[in-house]
Amino acid sequence: MKYGHFDDAAREYVITEPKTPYPWINYLGNHDFFTLISNTSGGYTFYKDAKFRRLTRYRYNNVPIDNGGKYFYIKDGDTIWNPGWKPVKTKLDSYSCRHGMSYTIVRGEKNSISAEALYFVPLHCRGEVQRVRLKNTGSVKKSLKLFSFIEWCLWNAEDDMTNFQRNFSTGEVEVKDSVIFHKTEYKERRNHFAFYSVNTPIKGFDTDREAFIGLYNGFENPDVVSDGKSKNTIAHGWSPVASHYLEIELNPGEEKDLIFVLGYIENEDDKKWESKGVINKEKAYQMISDFDSSEKVDRALAELRSYWDELLSKYVLSSADKKLDRMVNIWNQYQCMVTFNMSRSASYFESGIGRGMGFRDSNQDLIGFVHQVPDRAKERILDIAATQFENGSAYHQYQPLTKRGNDAIGGNFNDDPLWLILSTTAYIKETGDFSILDEMVPFDNDESKAKSHFEHLEASFYHIVNNLGPHNLPLIGRADWNDCLNLNCFSSNPNESFQTTENKKGGTAESVMIAGLFVLYGNEFVTLCEKIGKSDEAKTAQKHINDMIEAINQHGWDGNWFVRAYDFFGKKVGSDENEEGKIFIESQGFCTMAGIGAEDGRAKQALDSVKERLDCEYGIVLNNPAFTKYYIEYGEISTYPAGYKENAGIFCHNNPWIMIGETIIGRGDEAFNYYKKIAPSYLEDISDLHRTEPYVYAQMIAGKDAFKPGEAKNSWLTGTAAWNYYAITQYILGIQPDYDGLVIEPCIPKKWDGFKITRKFRGDTYHITVKNPAHVSKGVKTTELDGNALASNKIPIVEDGREHEVTIVLG
Ligand code: BGC
Ligand code: NOJ
């Protein structure tokens, strides 16, 4: 069953049934002020860091799920309802939620009143604007009461949900006219406060949760709303909230707009106070006045829309397949922006307090984002590099607020360094900006240890070379891309984390996946060295790569597929010799992407084995057979029940590795089949099974060994977004930015007649028409640029700022 539909012209997903199979959410905010909002107005807001600067409270693992958010209660006579159905859950006459590009519009209608709540974070604003549009659609005059409601979080989200002995005494607010200010801890160590305003005089307010709701009630039946009047409470400790009370009269046909702003303000130390104990509100009033009329809100929304028009104009596909077009042109790019902003910190599956920005995650996210805002990509690359150690290894994560490596998570994930080569080369290919290599970047966030960014890449490359095991394959360290393949961990204590606990000494577990990764991105490093005239360095690096290929050939091939790893004791993992976990996806992906075995048939053999053993109706599972008992020598992977997460779940992040591998050997039908199996727009009809949003990827879909194959979890924040975008745009549709041109090398299903793409690249706009009269998958027969035949399928950089016509004929 479907719970809504795509509106491609508006770039929206329109939900028409509030009881979706799981909360279907959206993200507001583009830079440093963010909100998560569900289709029933649930969610929360933070500034920069979901752990340290949480503005509004949200309870994860709640019953029912998704309680708490930005609610508007309407009291119309005895009927109380919310435009987004929750929390009161009064049956609405009509309901819709439009999730668009950084905005959400929730609309409900009840007893001839329509209420539309628009939520968005304007560009360059540290605040969320909410516009409630009320309309009397009936024929009699209406007198309504409207109550807004948010619940403040006491800033540090982790402390907020644990340290009650302190927190119940710290909360402080101020109320002035129609603005409620939250100033907990402002008087001592904080220089920031938050506010919630409305652009009209109010009849009353509340800031004490217990007074507003009642100690024995819930969000669905707050005392104040049932009574129909506020209590004008000032919170002292306990749980501060913000609620405005408004009375509204509407004649038949009349419409009124109310504008609320939820803002975050920082004041300089010497400007914190207006008078003793009274906060300086100047900047808050400025923000409020920026959005105090509907015209201003319309203008800000129009700006946001044109920002997205521009972002999404850089790669536009027109094919015969609507579901594909909407993934490529809208939703996959949108999700890439969100993963770029959030890394793995805050979603409905990531609590915002556990994980900051991942070293490997954020580097990979960039391959789906770099074309959107290259300058932000550059800044991110340099921030990440600054958390690297001099020996090339890295902190696994860093906090976005401080940009410092996170000690508690540690390092020694031996794949980490290589992803920096991927992101940096992707950035240079997109922009031509080699100057990033000369930027001075600290190691370990220590300015005195700064070296050029190029030297960081060198350190990345040599970290692998300097850490080889007995088979001359890379040592795995704590784990490689697969956080749960903990070959040196040997954990028997359920109270410790597999990723951070002390590893057993003396182990020499090796990773064939990192070996493939090294060949692939090592080759990128060599090409880069050549481009910048370091040919000796390139030659030396090439030798190391050749040695690695040799090691893979000798020790990494199992007969029908690539081995996954060698364990602590030197035994094969992911081999036919094993009873369970005979074959893993990662090494098949990376070795085939690196072209290993492409010439002698092993790549094809490996991919055939993937098809035979790992593929299923809903995607490609990670390993097979699934582990059915705990293997202490493998770690977390064998803790998951069969078919879930890293234990034979469909990890949507690495399915595109196989898609790309398929394109390397020219099998476009296979590649696109895999693409369609997990792309959310193709799964809309099975929403009841899939459960998560049909417009964004989830990290995992339960695999064939699971209780419920096809059920997805962990939507939004996953490397799946960037990798699928990369696979479809660069390898299947085949438009690849390169240092000195745009390479066009599609690998598509044979039955396709062709497609068109507009690609903005280095200041020019290329209108690319791909024709497939011979119905092949791969192989460019002729290339034309502005009517002139070219000798190769690389379009040179014209750089005249104009539009260019490119015609490619496959055959
Ligand atoms: C999950 C992994 C994740 C890791 C992060 C594990 O429990 O299964 O997907 O990467 O935690 O620490
Ligand atoms: C999710 C993590 O964010 C990512 O870093 C890791 O590679 C995958 N899980 C696989 O374990």
Side-chain angles (χ1 to χ4, degrees):
M1 166 178 167
K2 296 209 296 181
Y3 291 80
H5 57 268
F6 287 93
D7 180 344
D8 294 333
R11 299 196 185 113
E12 292 172 342
Y13 191 81
V14 188
I15 301 163
T16 48
E17 160 58 53
K19 282 196 237 176
T20 46
Y22 208 71
W24 284 0
I25 73 162
N26 194 14
Y27 285 81
L28 315 179
N30 289 287
H31 204 74
D32 50 16
F33 186 96
F34 298 104
T35 287
L36 285 71
I37 182 166
S38 73
N39 58 305
T40 53
S41 313
Y44 64 95
T45 293
F46 62 93
Y47 170 70
K48 268 193 187 170
D49 192 312
K51 176 173 176 180
F52 291 121
R53 291 284 186 282
R54 184 90 56 109
L55 268 80
T56 61
R57 186 173 281 159
Y58 191 73
R59 292 169 186 78
Y60 280 87
N61 229 346
N62 211 345
V63 182
I65 191 160
D66 192 34
N67 247 11
K70 317 286 178 47
Y71 293 142
F72 295 101
Y73 297 88
I74 295 168
K75 184 163 163 48
D76 174 8
D78 288 335
T79 309
I80 296 174
W81 58 283
N82 309 102
W85 181 61
K86 278 189 78 170
V88 179
K89 296 197 281 186
T90 299
K91 195 176 175 345
L92 300 176
D93 299 336
S94 77
Y95 156 91
S96 68
C97 166
R98 295 182 163 262
H99 283 319
M101 304 290 102
S102 301
Y103 67 88
T104 285
I105 303 171
V106 176
R107 196 175 162 279
E109 200 164 351
K110 183 77 190 169
N111 298 344
S112 305
I113 292 294
S114 122
E116 178 186 284
L118 157 73
Y119 301 83
F120 73 110
V121 175
L123 296 175
H124 318 295
C125 176
R126 293 174 177 181
E128 174 185 315
V129 171
Q130 307 165 347
R131 178 170 62 197
V132 178
R133 178 163 282 175
L134 296 167
K135 185 168 184 181
N136 182 347
T137 57
S139 51
V140 290
K141 186 170 169 179
K142 288 270 193 179
S143 302
L144 309 172
K145 295 179 174 184
L146 180 90
F147 297 86
S148 68
F149 178 77
I150 60 165
E151 184 178 6
W152 300 114
C153 178
L154 306 182
W155 301 114
N156 179 328
E158 185 172 32
D159 192 73
D160 183 71
M161 61 166 133
T162 46
N163 196 7
F164 306 109
Q165 60 80 25
R166 168 180 162 80
N167 295 340
F168 285 166
S169 296
T170 57
E172 288 189 290
V173 299
E174 272 181 43
V175 180
K176 178 99 170 82
D177 305 323
S178 300
V179 192
I180 297 166
F181 297 88
H182 176 227
K183 59 170 186 179
T184 300
E185 292 186 343
Y186 183 75
K187 88 174 154 311
E188 342 95 55
R189 297 176 297 173
R190 296 188 184 276
N191 65 344
H192 50 263
F193 64 86
F195 69 87
Y196 191 38
S197 66
V198 60
N199 68 335
T200 185
I202 54 179
K203 279 274 169 198
F205 62 86
D206 275 289
T207 70
D208 180 74
R209 192 185 74 210
E210 203 174 305
F212 180 79
I213 292 184
L215 190 55
Y216 295 98
N217 294 349
F219 295 121
E220 71 284 3
N221 55 352
D223 269 350
V224 158
V225 182
S226 313
D227 293 353
K229 62 173 187 306
S230 56
K231 299 178 183 162
N232 300 341
T233 50
I234 296 289
H236 298 279
W238 297 110
S239 294
V241 299
S243 169
H244 306 95
Y245 164 41
L246 298 149
E247 288 180 359
I248 293 139
E249 308 245 289
L250 288 172
N251 287 317
E254 193 183 352
E255 184 175 274
K256 274 188 187 156
D257 286 354
L258 300 162
I259 299 156
F260 297 81
V261 180
L262 166 62
Y264 171 88
I265 300 294
E266 281 178 4
N267 278 337
E268 297 81 57
D269 276 351
D270 57 341
K271 298 205 179 108
K272 279 177 77 167
W273 305 102
E274 180 186 304
S275 58
K276 186 157 194 284
V278 180
I279 57 181
N280 175 355
K281 307 177 174 68
E282 219 174 286
K283 290 187 186 169
Y285 290 136
Q286 180 57 53
M287 194 189 296
I288 292 167
S289 78
D290 287 345
F291 307 105
D292 60 2
S293 69
S294 245
E295 295 68 51
K296 289 185 190 173
V297 171
D298 282 335
R299 220 176 302 136
L301 186 65
E303 268 169 36
L304 182 66
R305 285 187 197 274
S306 55
Y307 172 75
W308 274 101
D309 287 345
E310 163 62 21
L311 284 180
L312 297 180
S313 70
K314 298 187 177 172
Y315 194 117
V316 183
L317 166 69
S318 160
S319 76
D321 181 345
K322 262 205 185 98
K323 293 176 182 167
L324 175 61
D325 287 4
R326 63 171 66 114
M327 283 316 306
V328 170
N329 297 340
I330 307 171
W331 292 99
N332 198 176
Q333 296 203 56
Y334 183 57
Q335 190 178 0
C336 286
M337 168 65 96
V338 172
T339 54
F340 171 82
N341 282 327
M342 299 288 134
S343 197
R344 305 296 170 268
S345 68
S347 72
Y348 268 31
F349 298 83
E350 298 279 10
S351 63
I353 61 171
R355 309 214 268 154
M357 316 290 285
F359 191 97
R360 75 157 82 89
D361 293 332
S362 289
N363 275 310
Q364 290 172 78
D365 290 345
L366 286 164
I367 60 175
F369 174 78
V370 64
H371 67 290
Q372 293 189 35
V373 194
D375 286 349
R376 290 187 73 197
K378 180 177 188 175
E379 185 191 341
R380 176 64 51 81
I381 291 169
L382 298 175
D383 285 348
I384 298 172
T387 65
Q388 190 178 28
F389 298 112
E390 280 167 299
N391 71 4
S393 68
Y395 281 109
H396 200 43
Q397 283 169 29
Y398 71 97
Q399 281 308 126
L401 190 69
T402 58
K403 296 190 174 177
R404 304 215 143 236
N406 193 337
D407 271 325
I409 313 285
N412 286 332
F413 294 80
N414 281 349
D415 62 313
D416 271 344
L418 289 172
W419 303 108
L420 191 62
I421 299 179
L422 169 65
S423 63
T424 306
T425 51
Y427 169 78
I428 302 175
K429 287 177 184 176
E430 180 66 35
T431 58
D433 173 19
F434 283 90
S435 78
I436 188 174
L437 299 173
D438 303 324
E439 297 275 350
M440 293 302 281
V441 188
F443 280 103
D444 195 8
N445 298 116
D446 180 347
E447 284 296 342
S448 73
K449 294 185 188 155
K451 290 214 172 126
S452 74
H453 186 64
F454 179 78
E455 287 165 282
H456 280 259
L457 301 188
E458 227 172 8
S460 290
F461 183 90
Y462 282 97
H463 187 259
I464 307 296
V465 176
N466 296 334
N467 288 281
L468 297 177
H471 302 91
N472 286 326
L473 293 166
L475 292 171
I476 200 167
R478 266 188 196 289
D480 59 23
W481 171 87
N482 190 332
D483 272 328
C484 299
L485 193 62
N486 316 115
L487 300 180
N488 298 310
C489 185
F490 293 86
S491 179
S492 56
N493 174 1
N495 301 328
E496 65 192 17
S497 145
F498 284 98
Q499 274 94 41
T500 55
T501 195
E502 191 64 30
N503 275 347
K504 192 162 156 177
K505 294 273 171 302
T508 51
E510 296 164 283
S511 164
V512 177
M513 182 214 163
I514 302 183
L517 195 71
F518 177 77
V519 174
L520 186 60
Y521 300 134
N523 279 329
E524 291 288 347
F525 179 69
V526 167
T527 311
L528 183 67
C529 289
E530 282 162 355
K531 290 271 164 220
I532 58 173
K534 292 186 187 285
S535 49
D536 288 348
E537 170 124 25
K539 275 197 203 103
T540 315
Q542 187 61 56
K543 282 217 326 259
H544 292 300
I545 295 168
N546 295 345
D547 291 348
M548 190 67 79
I549 296 175
E550 186 52 34
I552 297 175
N553 288 341
Q554 272 194 22
H555 305 290
W557 180 250
D558 196 55
N560 287 305
W561 56 80
F562 292 97
V563 175
R564 174 64 176 87
Y566 282 85
D567 72 11
F568 185 89
F569 308 106
K571 278 176 54 193
K572 284 182 187 166
V573 181
S575 155
D576 206 27
E577 288 169 14
N578 302 115
E579 202 186 311
E580 298 186 325
K582 285 173 183 284
I583 171 172
F584 282 69
I585 194 171
E586 302 98 322
S587 41
Q588 318 317 318
F590 268 93
C591 292
T592 58
M593 279 197 279
I596 298 163
E599 269 147 33
D600 59 21
R602 280 177 306 151
K604 179 175 173 299
Q605 178 60 55
L607 293 168
D608 286 345
S609 299
V610 167
K611 178 145 225 63
E612 187 190 324
R613 292 174 185 247
L614 300 180
D615 185 29
C616 75
E617 189 182 348
Y618 302 106
I620 313 168
V621 302
L622 195 145
N623 55 297
N624 182 263
F627 296 110
T628 57
K629 58 182 193 220
Y630 180 48
Y631 294 76
I632 195 169
E633 70 277 29
Y634 293 171
E636 187 173 357
I637 190 167
S638 59
T639 65
Y640 286 116
Y644 293 97
K645 291 283 284 181
E646 279 87 343
N647 185 16
I650 297 159
F651 230 82
C652 300
H653 184 146
N654 51 32
N655 279 224
W657 302 345
I658 300 299
M659 297 169 205
I660 297 173
E662 289 286 359
T663 67
I664 304 288
I665 63 164
R667 297 201 297 202
D669 283 287
E670 278 79 357
F672 191 64
N673 251 332
Y674 287 136
Y675 175 83
K676 281 197 301 193
K677 281 189 181 179
I678 61 167
S681 61
Y682 294 85
L683 307 177
E684 199 188 4
D685 289 335
I686 57 161
S687 286
D688 283 316
L689 171 64
H690 186 74
R691 297 192 68 189
T692 58
E693 297 90 339
Y695 41 91
V696 291
Y697 285 96
Q699 180 203 51
M700 184 214 59
I701 301 173
K704 56 185 174 176
D705 309 282
F707 171 68
K708 213 192 213 187
E711 182 183 42
K713 288 182 190 139
N714 199 3
S715 55
W716 284 97
L717 303 186
T718 159
T720 307
W723 271 103
N724 277 277
Y725 185 73
Y726 186 68
I728 187 72
T729 59
Q730 297 206 26
Y731 290 90
I732 297 178
L733 300 169
I735 315 294
Q736 303 174 0
D738 203 351
Y739 295 105
D740 48 5
L742 209 47
V743 175
I744 312 207
E745 182 87 271
C747 182
I748 55 176
K750 292 191 198 70
K751 72 166 197 281
W752 283 14
D753 295 324
F755 57 89
K756 289 185 176 186
I757 282 172
T758 297
R759 176 67 157 102
K760 290 191 182 162
F761 184 61
R762 309 261 186 109
D764 294 349
T765 303
Y766 297 89
H767 301 289
I768 304 162
T769 304
V770 174
K771 298 181 179 165
N772 189 19
H775 289 278
V776 296
S777 275
K778 193 172 178 177
V780 172
K781 203 163 110 192
T782 60
T783 310
E784 272 182 19
L785 171 64
D786 294 327
N788 303 314
L790 296 181
S792 85
N793 58 342
K794 185 185 281 185
I795 313 298
I797 294 162
V798 187
E799 256 176 340
D800 60 2
R802 298 235 171 93
E803 317 247 327
H804 299 283
E805 294 295 327
V806 175
T807 308
I808 299 283
V809 180
L810 303 180

